[in-house]
Amino acid sequence: MLDRMPIWAVYLFTVGLILLVTEIGFRLGLWFQRRDPSSLKGSVTSAAVAGLLGLLGFLLAFSIGIAVEHYDTRRQLVITDANAIEACYLEAGFLQEPERTMVRDLLREYVGVRLAALDPAEVALEEALRRSEEIHSELWSIVESLVSRNPDSGTVRSFGDAVREMIDAHNLRLAGILTLRLSPFMWQVLYVTTGLTCLLLGLVSSADGRRNAIVILLLALALATVLILIVDLDRSQAGLITVSQQALLDLQRQFATPAP
């Protein structure tokens, strides 16, 4: 559900959810107070609040650590992808014409396709993936043709290895985008724990019959900010914290002028 919402909508949803649950806890606390005025007083209740806050802090820190690790991995995969494309481009320089020009033209287009995949539109991503796979097929067809004509050529084998590594880098990067995510169960645990903590805070705050709206609002904003940070890091290119594509941009500039 979070992936279908923009960052600002997730933030507002999270703040609203925290405030709603806290208010529910406050009203439940008032109801308990009318039945038993001493039900929410004592050190046990305070200890429960402190325990839940500690557990929530641990879960948030744990989730941020995973999200940052995934972010770093996706950033490294961009560099790996760019290096594999550049190596293939350089290996193509040892080929004879017309294969040399054909390969390098395809690689120039391939870099542009990789950058076009950053468009948040799902259609653009699907089109970029489709064209990337077509370029893979075209390059591999060139490798097969060269091998059939020069089966013992070390240059052809080296170029074929470069194409294969480029395809492998593509697969690794695609897997990083699709699979390096926090699991839905982890998000459920985070939001359920946040909700239970706020519910208990609402219960405890009703002990004196008055709610501290400023403190509750600041708590909601702070918790929502941390959760949004995790959401943002968990997304590949759709959020505010995006994986740098500088390696591919540099490669695109490098390929802008065809080699003589």
Side-chain angles (χ1 to χ4, degrees), residues 109-121 124-125 127-128 248 252:
E109 181 187 357
Y110 186 65
V111 173
V113 168
R114 307 299 280 171
L115 292 171
L118 302 180
D119 191 313
L125 177 60
E127 175 63 23
L248 286 174
Q252 188 178 49

Side-chain angles (χ1 to χ4, degrees), residues 75-98:
R75 183 173 57 183
Q76 183 60 46
L77 287 175
V78 173
I79 298 175
T80 301
D81 194 24
N83 288 341
I85 298 171
E86 183 179 20
C88 189
Y89 187 90
L90 293 175
E91 289 288 344
F94 298 111
L95 303 179
Q96 300 297 320
E97 295 292 354

Side-chain angles (χ1 to χ4, degrees), residues 139-157:
L139 288 172
W140 196 251
S141 295
I142 293 175
V143 172
E144 291 176 341
S145 175
L146 290 171
V147 169
S148 65
R149 299 200 309 263
N150 306 281
D152 299 325
S153 172
T155 299
V156 172
R157 286 199 301 270

Side-chain angles (χ1 to χ4, degrees), residues 125-248:
L125 177 60
E126 292 179 355
E127 175 63 23
L129 290 176
R130 183 192 62 80
R131 182 55 187 153
S132 293
E133 292 172 356
E134 288 178 353
I135 293 175
H136 293 163
S137 298
E138 293 176 30
L139 288 172
W140 196 251
S141 295
I142 293 175
V143 172
E144 291 176 341
S145 175
L146 290 171
V147 169
S148 65
R149 299 200 309 263
N150 306 281
D152 299 325
S153 172
T155 299
V156 172
R157 286 199 301 270
S158 179
F159 173 68
D161 290 340
V163 172
R164 179 178 52 78
E165 290 175 4
M166 189 187 75
I167 296 174
D168 290 343
H170 161 81
N171 293 332
L172 285 173
R173 190 176 174 201
L174 182 60
I177 293 174
L178 299 179
T179 63
L180 289 179
R181 306 289 306 277
L182 287 177
S183 67
F185 177 71
M186 190 65 191
W187 284 114
Q188 293 168 12
V189 170
L190 279 173
Y191 271 87
V192 168
T193 305
T194 300
L196 290 176
T197 302
C198 293
L199 183 68
L200 188 55
L201 283 172
L203 284 170
V204 172
S205 65
S206 68
D208 57 1
R210 295 178 299 176
R211 65 170 65 83
N212 193 326
I214 295 178
V215 172
I216 292 174
L217 178 60
L218 291 176
L219 176 65
L221 294 175
L223 286 177
T225 300
V226 177
L227 286 168
I228 285 302
L229 175 61
I230 301 172
V231 171
D232 205 356
L233 286 170
D234 194 49
R235 298 184 179 185
S236 297
Q237 294 296 141
L240 301 175
I241 305 175
T242 58
V243 176
S244 174
Q245 306 295 314
Q246 191 60 47
L248 286 174

